[in-house]
């Protein structure tokens, strides 16, 4: 996969965000989806995106299938974020995973979760362009943050 391909989310992602954001803000459960709000890196204004917040064993992660997108750059600049899922809001800090940690995330967390969901592996492959059954390739060029409580 080339860098330019990774930076192009699928068509329709803006439509998904426009529909999902108000529903998620009202607390409607939408699977793993939640809201991530970070200050804009230049304006400082809050920027909110709907994305998958992966929870497993009391830990949480967010990942960018498309690499260095705006929310990733904003999150890095801010060092903090707010997540909202099912009506609950949490202030979090995040740690960006290195290459080996990303492989472990795909192998030990995301792939098993995707396998438990009917069509999960296929959905991630088609929608996100990521084959979670190959964790080394899945980790290459992707960004993953572990979300930790503030303090």
């Amino acid at each position: 996969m080339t860098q330019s391909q990774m930076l192009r989310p699928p068509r329709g992602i803006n439509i998904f965000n426009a529909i999902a954001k108000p529903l998620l803000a009202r607390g409607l459960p939408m699977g793993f989806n939640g809201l991530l709000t970070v200050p804009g890196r230049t304006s400082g204004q809050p920027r909110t995106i709907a994305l998958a917040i992966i929870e497993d064993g009391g830990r949480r992660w967010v990942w960018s299938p498309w690499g260095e997108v705006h929310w990733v750059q904003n999150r890095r600049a801010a060092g903090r974020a707010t997540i909202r899922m099912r009506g609950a809001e949490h202030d979090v800090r995040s740690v960006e995973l290195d290459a080996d940690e990303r492989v472990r995330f795909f192998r030990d967390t995301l792939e098993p979760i995707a396998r438990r969901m009917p069509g999960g592996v296929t959905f991630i492959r088609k929608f996100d362009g990521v084959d979670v059954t190959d964790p080394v390739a899945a980790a290459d060029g992707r960004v993953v943050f572990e979300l930790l409580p503030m303090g």
Side-chain angles (χ1 to χ4, degrees):
M1 178 179 302
T2 67
Q3 184 70 11
S4 63
Q5 288 172 318
M6 287 191 317
L7 294 177
R8 290 201 182 116
R11 291 197 326 227
I13 196 73
N14 291 337
I15 294 169
F16 168 77
N17 253 319
I19 294 168
K21 280 173 42 174
L23 297 174
L24 290 165
R26 289 185 182 98
L28 182 73
M30 295 180 72
F32 287 101
N33 291 301
L35 297 174
L36 176 82
T37 302
V38 295
R41 63 191 173 280
T42 55
S43 71
Q45 295 299 309
R47 304 293 183 209
T48 301
I49 184 169
L51 50 73
I53 300 173
I54 307 301
E55 295 182 300
D56 188 54
R59 297 171 72 187
R60 291 184 182 130
W61 299 266
V62 291
W63 69 293
S64 173
W66 310 294
E68 302 287 326
V69 293
H70 290 292
W71 73 261
V72 168
Q73 296 170 39
N74 288 340
R75 206 292 325 144
R76 280 190 189 127
R80 61 183 171 79
T82 301
I83 59 170
R84 184 182 302 165
M85 289 184 71
R86 296 175 210 76
E89 194 169 287
H90 306 278
D91 291 325
V92 296
R93 60 188 177 88
S94 55
V95 175
E96 188 168 350
L97 304 187
D98 67 24
D100 291 335
E101 292 168 326
R102 289 193 311 269
V103 170
R104 284 193 295 277
F105 166 77
F106 284 101
R107 181 190 64 220
D108 301 339
T109 303
L110 194 55
E111 180 185 5
I113 288 171
R115 287 192 182 282
R116 288 193 298 266
M117 298 171 20
V121 171
T122 301
F123 178 84
I124 292 171
R125 184 179 297 127
K126 292 200 184 263
F127 185 76
D128 297 325
V130 177
D131 182 0
V132 295
T133 66
D134 183 351
V136 173
D140 184 35
R142 306 291 176 342
V143 180
V144 181
F145 295 102
E146 183 170 4
L147 303 176
L148 304 166
M150 289 296 283

